[in-house]
Structure formats: structure tokens, C-alpha cells
Amino acid sequence: METQDLEKLRKEALVEVAAASPETIEAIRVAYLGRKGSLTEILKSLGSLPPDDRRSLGNQANNVRRELEEALNHRVQVLEKESLEARLASEAIDISLPGRSVHLGSRHVLSQTIREIEDIFTGLGYGIVDTREIETEYYNFTALNTPEYHPARTLQGTYYVDAPPVDEKQGRMLLRTQTSPAQIRVMEQQKPPIFVIVPGKVYRPDVADATHSPMFHQVEGLAVGEGITFGDLKGTLEHFCHKMFGPERAVRLRPHFFPFTEPSTEVDVQCIRCGGSGCRICSHTGWLEIMGAGMIDPNVFAMVGYDPDKISGFAFGMGPDRIAMLKYDMSDIRMFFENDVRFLAQFS
Ligand code: PHE
């Protein structure tokens, strides 16, 4: 072992360490400083040298070992720093980029419309009542003064439910075709004065198209007490139309027929698009039909045990789906029920 050999080993080792990669550095350390590493072998062999050589070579070898250890430590630090910087660069977040917008859920446009209607009537002191969607023939038709032969009772007009009837008087079970059976249920359970609205789903065997859906919504209204007149009906519904469509809209009542009201009327509001001059929305009539209404027929009062000579009242039924379609200029009722977020998000 010569001084030159040590110096040669030192130079080679330092070059290798300086070029070491994270994958090779451990192998380089073992090759020189491991238990069987070349520098370790030199240090082990010093014992067999003459004392003078041993001291000077020993010093030199120890210096080389220290220098190598330092170089290795330094290289490890450099490599760690490099890998950290590479990671930081690759994982960098550009905080100046605009974020992805989060779509918050919102109430369905139909729920919004129904709530608007509810707010107007609760503002007049009306209560809100919920009744059932599965009804009986009695509540949906008979008690509403609808004769046995009425076409609405056929399979073309009503979805019958395959369930045993409660009793003979109740007749067949069905999905309510209107919210009007709620009139009977409320009058059976409460005493006049009664002022309620009943929002809910109704069902009719219609093939779905732009203006029909086998399920749609109605809001029923019922006002019953002593001395309630057609003038009250008119004033109430005019107030509603002005709140819902704007105070400038004219309201018109057209004679109509419903089995459970007499006299009956359909309520038109001046077209909310064209203001009455005629447009596509109002089929160039200037008017939009938005509900049916009338004074409760004495036969209906008799069905719930009210005295028609003492008690009077009015009822109305409107379609919030149709009202929302008119208000938002929609041409297809099916949009409400398809849950397409691109459509629904317009109303958030
Ligand atoms: N139930 C009627 C319909 O569905 C609407 C209506 C309700 C008419 C109350 C008068 C009174 O067409």
C-alpha cells in the first residue's frame, strides 16, 4: 500500500460520489466504506505495516475516510434538495387560476312557484293542508256531485288502483285526478269558517307530450263560512292574480261548468307576455286561462252535512305547472320532470 494508491482511490471515490444518483449512492458508500469496502480493507491492512508507515499511512487513510464520509453526506443532501425541488415544481398549485365553480342546489322551479302561491294565500290568512294522493271514487267524484256516468270516471279519465275498496260507499281506489277531494276531507274534519289551500300532485292517464303529463300539480282553494259571496271569490282571485302576475294585469271571469260548483267560472289573466295585444303564448287571444273556480254547489254541502241555507263558499283550482310555464315562457311541461340540471339551474 502506497501513498499514491490512497490518493488514486481518493480521487476516484470523490468523482464517483460527485456523480452519484439517488439509486447509486448507497452502493458507492458500501464499495468504499462498507465492511468489505476498499478503504476499509486498507485500514484493516495497516496493522501489518512497519510502525512509521503505519502512522503516516494511517493518518492519510483516516483523512480520506473522513473526507469521503463528508462528500457522501454532502451528496445525499444535494440529492434530497434536488428531489424536493423537482417535487415542488411538479406539484405546484397556481393560486391565481380561477377556481371551478361549485353549483349549489336550489329549490325546483315548481316548488318555487307553489311557494309563491302559498305565500299569497297565507298572506290572506289561509292555512295550508295536505291530503292523500290515493283517493276513493267517493271523495274524488261522488261527494263532488259528479254523476256515475261522467266520462272522467272511466279508465280514460282516471288511474284506478288495484286495491280492495274500503266499503261499497267509497267505491274503487284511484289516484286523485284533481285536488278537489280535499274540499270534502277538509269540510268533514273542520267547521266553518274554513280558509285553506291544498297544493299537491294529481294524476290522469294522459300520454306525455309538450302540454300533458300523467302527473302534474294543482293548488286547491276553499273558503267556506256565512255570507261568502261570488264578489268575495272575484276579489280574492283578482288579488291573487295581481300579486302573482303584476297589478297592471286585467282579470276576466268566463262562465264555465264544474259538477261541484255553481255558478262556475274559468279565470283568465291578461297575457303576461304581450299584455293583451296577442302573441304566441296566448294564441293571439290576449288572455291566459289559469284556473277554474266557483261557488260550492249546495249538493256538495249536503254531502258533508252542512246546511246550504246558512253556509256558502267558493273553491278554486289552479295548475302551478301551467302558471310556471307561462311565467318562464316554457314550451314543454316534461322539462319539469326530467331533472336536467342545465334546465333547473336557470331558476336558482
Ligand atoms: N278540480 C277542477 C279541475 O281539475 C278545478 C276546480 C277546482 C274548479 C275548484 C272549481 C273549483 O279542473
Side-chain angles (χ1 to χ4, degrees):
M1 169 55 54
E2 301 275 335
T3 304
Q4 299 93 298
D5 296 336
L6 247 181
E7 181 55 24
K8 191 170 167 249
L9 180 145
R10 174 183 163 275
K11 279 193 175 138
E12 280 171 8
L14 288 176
V15 168
E16 278 185 51
V17 169
S21 72
E23 290 76 34
T24 59
I25 190 152
E26 181 56 16
I28 294 169
R29 192 188 67 75
V30 170
Y32 289 100
L33 301 176
R35 269 196 300 133
K36 288 186 178 153
S38 45
L39 189 60
T40 313
E41 293 295 341
I42 291 171
L43 287 162
K44 274 197 243 169
S45 69
L46 287 176
S48 57
L49 293 177
D52 278 357
D53 291 353
R54 194 191 306 163
R55 198 174 305 117
S56 70
L57 261 180
N59 267 338
Q60 205 187 342
N62 270 323
N63 286 342
V64 170
R65 186 181 62 184
R66 217 171 297 122
E67 197 181 351
L68 251 181
E69 280 170 351
E70 269 169 29
L72 279 163
N73 286 342
H74 178 71
R75 184 64 189 158
V76 165
Q77 277 173 23
V78 168
L79 287 174
E80 278 174 358
K81 198 168 160 235
E82 275 175 5
S83 96
L84 179 68
E85 273 163 8
R87 235 180 71 205
L88 286 176
S90 72
E91 293 173 5
I93 294 169
D94 180 353
I95 59 165
S96 70
L97 275 178
R100 257 177 250 159
S101 63
V102 177
H103 291 292
L104 287 180
S106 61
R107 239 183 259 293
H108 193 283
V109 57
L110 274 180
S111 301
Q112 291 180 34
T113 307
I114 291 169
R115 273 176 191 241
E116 240 181 284
I117 297 167
E118 289 175 349
D119 282 351
I120 295 170
F121 283 102
T122 52
L124 291 172
Y126 281 65
I128 300 172
V129 172
D130 251 341
T131 63
R132 61 190 72 197
E133 288 175 24
I134 295 183
E135 268 296 0
T136 68
E137 236 180 319
Y138 176 79
Y139 281 99
N140 198 80
F141 293 120
T142 314
L144 288 165
N145 201 35
T146 309
E148 288 295 330
Y149 56 78
H150 197 284
R153 292 200 190 221
T154 66
L155 291 177
Q156 284 71 47
T158 300
Y159 284 120
Y160 286 92
V161 175
D162 193 7
V166 185
D167 57 36
E168 212 176 305
K169 178 186 152 190
Q170 291 297 319
R172 289 172 285 178
M173 306 296 286
L174 50 80
L175 296 181
R176 66 178 176 192
T177 63
Q178 50 187 355
T179 43
S180 300
Q183 292 180 30
I184 308 299
R185 294 207 174 265
V186 170
M187 286 194 284
E188 281 181 348
Q189 278 157 26
Q190 303 183 20
K191 282 198 171 77
I194 295 170
F195 294 91
V196 295
I197 56 168
V198 187
K201 294 181 171 72
V202 300
Y203 303 84
R204 290 181 195 175
D206 287 322
V207 175
D209 63 20
T211 54
H212 295 84
S213 162
M215 184 282 294
F216 58 102
H217 297 82
Q218 283 190 339
V219 178
E220 192 82 7
L222 180 67
V224 180
E226 288 179 27
I228 293 181
T229 67
F230 197 90
D232 297 321
L233 176 156
K234 190 164 175 260
T236 303
L237 298 183
E238 246 173 26
H239 171 83
F240 167 75
C241 290
H242 288 159
K243 284 272 181 192
M244 194 76 191
F245 302 107
E248 68 284 3
R249 297 274 165 259
V251 177
R252 169 176 95 167
L253 304 185
R254 262 182 303 107
H256 200 73
F257 176 82
F258 296 105
F260 38 91
T261 48
E262 182 60 32
S264 302
T265 177
E266 274 189 335
V267 182
D268 295 347
V269 64
Q270 217 170 27
C271 181
I272 55 180
R273 288 284 146 209
C274 65
S277 56
C279 69
R280 184 178 52 81
I281 305 273
C282 59
S283 311
H284 302 280
T285 63
W287 296 94
L288 301 170
E289 183 235 307
I290 54 148
M291 68 175 119
M295 301 307 289
I296 312 274
D297 193 291
N299 289 343
V300 173
F301 282 141
M303 286 295 214
V304 294
Y306 287 10
D307 181 353
D309 291 331
K310 283 207 189 118
I311 298 294
S312 62
F314 61 84
F316 55 87
M318 66 182 89
D321 318 57
R322 186 174 147 76
I323 289 174
M325 284 175 75
L326 293 171
K327 213 170 150 178
Y328 301 112
D329 197 2
M330 281 173 54
S331 54
D332 197 323
I333 193 174
R334 290 168 293 194
M335 305 280 277
F336 288 134
F337 310 122
E338 282 168 355
N339 286 335
D340 186 331
V341 176
R342 290 166 301 180
F343 165 72
L344 295 174
Q346 298 173 66
F347 304 99
S348 56

